[in-house]
Every structure is written in C-alpha cells, then in structure tokens.
Amino acid sequence: MNPVLLHLYPQSFRRAFGDEMTEAYREATAGAGRRARSREAADVVAHALRMRLGLTSSRPGGRLFAVAAPFALAVTAAYAAFNLHESTSNWYVMGAGGGGMPIATILNGCYLLTLIGAVIALAGPYLSGALCSVAGALGSSVTFLYPAWPTASDLRWDFAAFLITPVLAAALPLLCPPDLRPAPRARSRAGVLAVAVWAVLLVGILTVTDPLGTGLSLPWRFGVPLAAALFLAGRQAFTRIRTTAHLTLAAAPLVTVLHFSGWTGSTDTLAALGALAVAAVALRVRRRGGTDAVDPA
C-alpha cells in the first residue's frame, strides 16, 4: 500500500493492522487497471476517514448515524416530492411559455434526481442513490441563488438555513458505516427501476389530483410521500431505534427541514419537539420496563 494512504489511518491502527492492510491492498490491486486501483484507493481513504471520525460500526457514532440514515433518506424523498409537486403546479399555472421556465426546468430536474436517488438508496444500491440524492439537493439549493447571487452580507441566516438544511439531510446517510447500511429491498435492476417509477408516479398522482396545489393540506402533500418512503425503509428502520439519542437524530432531519423550509410556523415546530420529547420518555420507560422484566433485581 502507498505509505501516504496507510498514514491516513490512526497510528494505533497502523501498528496493529498495517501489515495486513498493505498485503490486502496489494492483492486487491495486483494486475488491476487504473480505474480499479483508483476505486480501491478511494475506499481506503473513505475507511480511514471514518476511523478518524469515529464513524465505524464498532463506534457509537457510526451506529447512531446508521439508525438515522433511513429516516433522513425518507425525509429527503418527501421534501423532493413535495417541491417537485409545487414546481410542477407553478409550471401548470404559468404555462409553458411563462417566465422563468429554464430555472423551473433545472429545479424540477434537481428535485427529480433527489427523489429518485433517495428511494434508490432505500431500495437498492445505497451509495449510488445517496450520492445522487446529495447532488440533486445541492443542485436545487444552488439554483435558488440564481440569477441574483447574494453577497455574504445579503444572505440572511434563515435563507442560508433554507438552502443548507436539505443538503445536510441528504448527506447524513453518507455517514452510515457500509456494513450497517440497510439491506436492499430490490435486488435486481428491474426492481430498482420499478421503485423509481413508483416514486415518480406517486408525485404525478398528487399533482393530477390537485394541479394547482391548493386543495391538499401540507400533511397530505408531504405526509403521503413521507409515509411511502418510510414504508420502503421497512420495519427494520424502526426497530433500530433503542435509545433517546437514536430517536433524536432520527427525527432531527424531519423537524429541521419542516421548520427551515418555511412550511410550518414556530408553534408547529414546538409541537413537534413536544411530541418528540413524549416519545423519548415513552422509549426510556419501555426500555427500563424491558430491563426490569429481564432482571428484576
């Protein structure tokens, strides 16, 4: 292994496993092409970075982000679906010849990429889907700044949070350790394609049902895609929530995205935080009851 790559790891790890890592890397890249060697080097860099940050499956931080990852993906998918519906409805009102259509087209493309990426990460190739989701979320946030790019003094903190929060929610699943990623629900390309089409059709049904975006409330237009994404995540996502920290980080993307998107007011945010606190207490009581049942002493 290249000494530079090896020195990316913590010193204690290098002393204990340096020779094994070097041998494994040599076997993996023996006779391999440039692309394969680059991919193997990227994997080494990613693994070393995870170890430096304590985001491996053996560390509490890695396990914590593994619990939150499917919920962040579900929120990202719902956020993209909601905005895709809103953008499509605006296009319907303005007409194909209306102003701002190039920007609307770019936004729709970014939202579509975010939506498809999130559901693919939940259903099939995790890393590819998560990266597409991040790219789409980043693209939509950058597009919002066009055509008048604000200076640092013009960029208010609430608008900055509006732009950054969806990107952070989409990026959170990348912190999940590879060996703790959810098992693929669709194991074939046809299955992954079916899930992607299902997600787009769901947005289409909502848009056709209410093309002007006025007849359906926020819980319906955001809640239906969120429920569908959580259904795709499956029961295993909920059974992993075992501590208050798990519950808090799993709910954080939902609360922050709803609040900083401007869809909900301060009262709604406080109500969501209150419900989260009640759920945390119930979870703690349930865990304590289960412990007492196992060990009455």
Side-chain angles (χ1 to χ4, degrees), residues 80-92 100-116 136 139-140 143-144 200 203 207:
F82 182 93
N83 280 296
L84 185 59
H85 166 68
E86 291 291 292
S87 182
T88 304
S89 299
N90 292 337
W91 184 90
Y92 178 86
M101 284 302 104
I103 299 301
T105 301
I106 295 174
L107 273 177
N108 283 340
C110 291
Y111 291 142
L112 188 61
L113 180 63
T114 304
L115 172 63
I116 292 177
S140 61
T143 305
F144 265 112
V200 176
V203 176
T207 303

Side-chain angles (χ1 to χ4, degrees), residues 77 80-82 84-85 88 111-112 115-116 119 192-210 216 220-221 224-225 228:
F82 182 93
L84 185 59
H85 166 68
T88 304
Y111 291 142
L112 188 61
L115 172 63
I116 292 177
V119 297
V192 173
L193 178 62
V195 170
V197 172
W198 165 76
V200 176
L201 285 179
L202 180 61
V203 176
I205 291 172
L206 291 177
T207 303
V208 171
T209 303
D210 182 34
L216 299 176
W220 178 260
R221 286 183 285 146
V224 169

Side-chain angles (χ1 to χ4, degrees), residues 2-3 10 21 39 56 61 82 93 126 146 153 170 181 183 192 203 235 245 261 265 271:
N2 189 318
M21 289 288 298
R39 185 168 56 249
T56 60
F82 182 93
V93 172
Y126 183 93
Y146 182 87
S153 59
R181 291 170 182 170
V192 173
V203 176
R235 183 174 177 269
S261 64

Side-chain angles (χ1 to χ4, degrees), residues 75-279:
V75 170
T76 299
Y79 176 84
F82 182 93
N83 280 296
L84 185 59
H85 166 68
E86 291 291 292
S87 182
T88 304
S89 299
N90 292 337
W91 184 90
Y92 178 86
V93 172
M94 295 172 66
M101 284 302 104
I103 299 301
T105 301
I106 295 174
L107 273 177
N108 283 340
C110 291
Y111 291 142
L112 188 61
L113 180 63
T114 304
L115 172 63
I116 292 177
V119 297
I120 286 179
L122 287 170
Y126 183 93
L127 183 58
S128 300
L131 289 175
C132 287
S133 180
V134 173
L138 185 60
S140 61
S141 293
V142 171
T143 305
F144 265 112
L145 297 174
Y146 182 87
W149 292 84
T151 62
S153 59
D154 296 331
L155 193 59
R156 304 187 314 275
W157 76 269
D158 53 343
F159 183 57
F162 166 78
L163 296 176
I164 294 173
T165 301
V167 179
L168 294 180
L172 187 151
L174 295 177
L175 300 179
C176 175
D179 51 339
L180 293 181
R181 291 170 182 170
R185 303 292 294 270
R187 300 183 180 277
S188 64
R189 292 184 178 179
V192 173
L193 178 62
V195 170
V197 172
W198 165 76
V200 176
L201 285 179
L202 180 61
V203 176
I205 291 172
L206 291 177
T207 303
V208 171
T209 303
D210 182 34
L212 300 181
T214 57
L216 299 176
S217 62
L218 172 65
W220 178 260
R221 286 183 285 146
F222 183 82
V224 169
L226 179 63
L230 289 175
F231 175 80
L232 188 61
R235 183 174 177 269
Q236 64 173 348
F238 293 90
T239 56
R240 282 186 169 186
I241 299 178
R242 298 177 182 176
T243 67
T244 303
H246 290 167
L247 179 63
T248 301
L249 190 57
L254 176 61
V255 175
T256 54
V257 165
L258 284 177
H259 178 71
F260 290 112
S261 64
W263 301 339
T264 58
S266 300
T267 304
D268 300 317
T269 303
L270 290 175
L273 292 175
L276 177 61
V278 172

